[in-house]
């Protein structure tokens, strides 16, 4: 083995040791457990809290502008939909959802109530304030046109997530270069120790919902198309209900802001940005 190879292996080992030390420090300061999934009966949607509500058909997309503090509730009535989401800073769209930083900063690929969605600037775009599922995907992505044809056949009426995002982004004056990797809700993907991704169908239930709070003014797009790991043999994308809700009055400690040191630092960055 050449000296350069030995030095490379030593550097890799040192980097891994540093990563493991940082991970141990970060996870060691986290709470013993994040909140359990919300009981759907304990978080009813009050009609007076809704700015507006709509139904998004299977296969389609939607655009939303959220002001800081407003909430987006996404409900899957039949429990058969995977809903992909992208978000941009409404003031500066070069700042956008970063799925990799969302994972790395929080030391987990498991999203649920109390977790945050981070931008590529280390700021918090969205907080998950309610979630009945905990079965979401930040790794596998979504289908494009070619993938949809391979999986379901050459039917021109079958829409896909990539095309939906291109069309949705265009409505905000954005183009395909502005579309980063995204997050899918109600997509029960798990990761084995060897990195294998698998689909846990039992984790999807009719009536599941997730509620996201905007931590700055945002542009949001959703796509309601099948997930690439969904084992269903036929194209299955059922309607979802989407509501934009008024901001809530603070009721004391905000778990999303204080659950971990990483959350505290993320909100320090976010609050400082809004004040600048």
């Amino acid at each position: 083995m050449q000296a350069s190879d030995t030095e490379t292996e030593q550097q890799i080992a040192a980097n891994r040791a540093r990563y493991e030390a940082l991970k141990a420090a970060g996870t060691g300061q986290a709470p013993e457990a994040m909140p359990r999934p919300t009981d759907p009966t304990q978080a009813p949607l009050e009609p007076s809290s809704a700015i507006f509500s709509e139904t998004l058909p299977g296969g389609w997309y939607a655009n939303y502008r959220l002001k800081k503090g407003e909430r987006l509730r996404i409900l899957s009535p039949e429990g058969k939909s995977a809903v992909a989401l992208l978000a941009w800073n409404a003031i500066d769209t070069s700042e956008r959802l970063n799925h990799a930083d969302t994972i790395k900063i929080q030391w987990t690929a498991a999203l649920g109530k109390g977790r945050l969605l981070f931008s590529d600037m280390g700021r918090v775009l969205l907080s998950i304030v309610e979630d009945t599922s905990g079965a979401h995907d930040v790794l596998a992505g979504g289908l494009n046109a070619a993938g949809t044809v391979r999986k379901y056949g050459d039917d021109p009426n079958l829409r896909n997530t990539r095309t939906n995002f291109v069309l949705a982004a265009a409505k905000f004056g954005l183009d395909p270069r502005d579309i980063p990797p995204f997050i899918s809700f109600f997509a029960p993907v798990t990761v084995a120790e060897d990195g294998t991704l698998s689909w846990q169908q039992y984790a999807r239930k009719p009536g599941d919902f997730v509620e996201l709070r905007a931590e700055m003014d945002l542009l949001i797009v959703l796509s309601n198309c099948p997930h690439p790991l969904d084992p269903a043999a036929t194209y299955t994308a059922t309607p979802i209900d989407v509501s934009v809700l008024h901001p809530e009055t603070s009721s004391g400690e905000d778990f999303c802001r204080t659950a971990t040191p990483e959350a505290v630092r993320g909100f320090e960055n976010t609050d400082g940005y809004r004040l600048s």
Side-chain angles (χ1 to χ4, degrees):
M1 180 180 294
Q2 298 181 356
S4 59
D5 293 334
T6 301
E7 292 173 357
T8 299
E9 288 188 357
Q10 291 174 342
Q11 186 61 56
I12 291 172
N15 290 342
R16 173 162 289 280
R18 176 60 174 161
Y19 169 81
E20 295 294 347
L22 289 170
K23 180 180 179 181
T27 55
Q29 296 181 66
E32 292 186 3
M34 298 298 286
R36 294 182 59 80
T38 302
D39 182 338
T41 65
Q42 300 303 309
L45 179 60
E46 299 294 339
S48 61
S49 68
I51 298 172
F52 74 89
S53 299
E54 66 177 356
T55 297
L56 181 60
W60 287 84
Y61 67 86
N63 301 62
Y64 305 97
R65 292 180 180 268
L66 295 187
K67 296 180 180 178
K68 175 184 172 295
E70 291 180 346
R71 295 164 292 140
L72 186 72
R73 179 176 287 208
I74 308 167
L75 169 69
S76 178
E78 298 182 38
K80 298 179 181 179
S81 294
V83 183
L85 175 145
L86 278 177
W88 296 265
N89 178 340
I91 305 301
D92 178 4
T93 54
S94 68
E95 180 174 15
R96 62 198 67 175
L97 175 69
N98 189 303
H99 85 300
D101 283 354
T102 294
I103 296 168
K104 291 186 293 183
I105 290 173
Q106 299 177 105
W107 304 101
T108 181
L111 293 183
K113 185 177 180 180
R115 292 297 186 185
L116 311 172
L117 307 189
F118 281 87
S119 79
D120 44 12
M121 301 295 182
R123 291 188 276 261
V124 183
L125 299 183
L126 293 155
S127 297
I128 303 177
V129 294
E130 297 289 358
D131 176 32
T132 66
S133 169
H136 312 304
D137 171 44
V138 295
L139 298 171
L143 290 171
N144 58 15
T148 301
V149 169
R150 284 195 300 269
K151 192 172 177 66
Y152 300 111
D154 191 8
D155 182 342
N157 295 314
L158 300 183
R159 304 175 66 90
N160 68 86
T161 297
R162 174 65 183 178
T163 301
N164 275 355
F165 277 155
V166 170
L167 295 172
K171 294 183 182 298
F172 289 135
L174 305 174
D175 65 34
R177 294 172 297 179
D178 296 303
I179 301 173
F182 48 86
I183 289 171
S184 294
F185 294 105
F186 320 123
V189 175
T190 59
V191 187
E193 289 187 4
D194 65 357
T196 302
L197 302 180
S198 60
W199 184 267
Q200 307 297 325
Q201 182 63 32
Y202 68 88
R204 295 211 290 188
K205 307 181 300 297
D208 270 338
F209 66 83
V210 63
E211 190 173 303
L212 310 167
R213 183 181 64 209
E215 303 299 350
M216 63 174 69
D217 291 354
L218 295 174
L219 306 178
I220 301 281
V221 297
L222 302 179
S223 175
N224 181 17
C225 289
H227 189 276
L229 296 184
D230 189 335
T234 58
Y235 186 98
T236 303
T238 55
I240 60 169
D241 295 330
V242 183
S243 297
V244 176
L245 310 177
H246 290 288
E248 286 186 321
T249 303
S250 176
S251 57
E253 182 177 359
D254 187 332
F255 184 83
C256 290
R257 296 181 68 97
T258 61
T260 65
E262 291 77 21
V264 172
R265 287 194 292 272
F267 276 103
E268 287 174 350
N269 291 340
T270 310
D271 295 341
Y273 169 78
R274 290 201 300 264
L275 294 173
S276 63

